[in-house]
Each structure stands twice: as structure tokens, then as C-alpha cells.
Amino acid sequence: MKSRFPDRVRDIVRKIKKGKTMTYGQVALAAGHPGAARAVGLVMKNNYDPTVPCHRVVRADGKIGDYNRGGEARKRKLLEEEGAL
DNA sequence: TAGTTGACCGGAA
DNA sequence: ATTCCGGCCAACT
């Protein structure tokens, strides 16, 4: 099984339940690459797949983090709607 | 191959 | 609490 980093990250993020949030570091760890939080962010940025709720991935500081569409405002709103906030 | 960049993280000032 | 700095990893040029 030779899943590449971006593919695994997307799969993990897709598994995040509604109302749940994971930090980039947690996702990187789950992907088998501890410390690759930045790489996860790059993947999210390049990944526009709607099946991947990238808005459920937040920063470790508890901040919202960035987003490809609408920025933090959009991301925060989505989390509120799902009940993660 | 090497250098730069980026939706980050953690610790220090 | 906020701001600054270095470190980590993968992708792009």
C-alpha cells in the first residue's frame, strides 16, 4: 500500500465526525507523519475535494486557522453550524 | 540537487 | 495575553 501523504491526509480528514475537530498536528500524526502539520496544510490548500471536510481541521492553539474560501470567517461559521463550536 | 514557500507547532521574550 | 524565533515536513521552482 503506497498511499501518498496527501491521499492519507484526505482519508483521515474525511473520517472526522460531524461536530468534531482535529488539529493539523493530530491529522499529521494519524497519517503516520508526526510533526508534518505544515505539510497537512499544504495538502488542504491544494485539495478542493468537497468530500473532505477540511474546515474541521483547526490549529493546535485553538484558533480557527485559514481557509481556501472565505477565510477564517467561513470556516468558523461552518463549525458553528455543525456544532463543533 | 538545492533553495524557497506555506491553511503549522511549541517554546521563549 | 501577544509577539518573535526556530524547527518540522512535503510540494513547487
Side-chain angles (χ1 to χ4, degrees):
Chain A
M1 193 144 93
K2 291 208 130 272
S3 310
R4 283 169 261 209
F5 195 67
D7 292 317
R8 286 165 122 199
V9 171
R10 284 190 263 167
D11 189 50
I12 290 157
V13 174
R14 206 174 306 157
K15 283 170 190 129
I16 303 178
K17 290 183 189 56
K18 182 176 108 167
K20 282 280 229 190
T21 53
M22 265 181 118
T23 69
Y24 294 91
Q26 281 294 346
V27 175
L29 183 67
H33 288 250
R38 301 185 74 158
V40 173
L42 280 174
V43 173
M44 298 284 115
K45 185 165 103 150
N46 274 280
N47 174 34
Y48 283 79
D49 193 322
T51 63
V52 179
C54 28
H55 60 269
R56 288 185 192 156
V57 185
V58 294
R59 293 185 31 148
D61 308 67
K63 290 181 191 314
I64 293 297
D66 232 331
Y67 201 61
N68 56 10
R69 199 189 179 223
E72 306 177 22
R74 178 78 187 207
K75 191 165 171 182
R76 187 168 76 187
K77 195 150 194 198
L78 288 165
L79 291 171
E80 283 185 47
E81 292 289 310
E82 296 193 348
L85 200 55

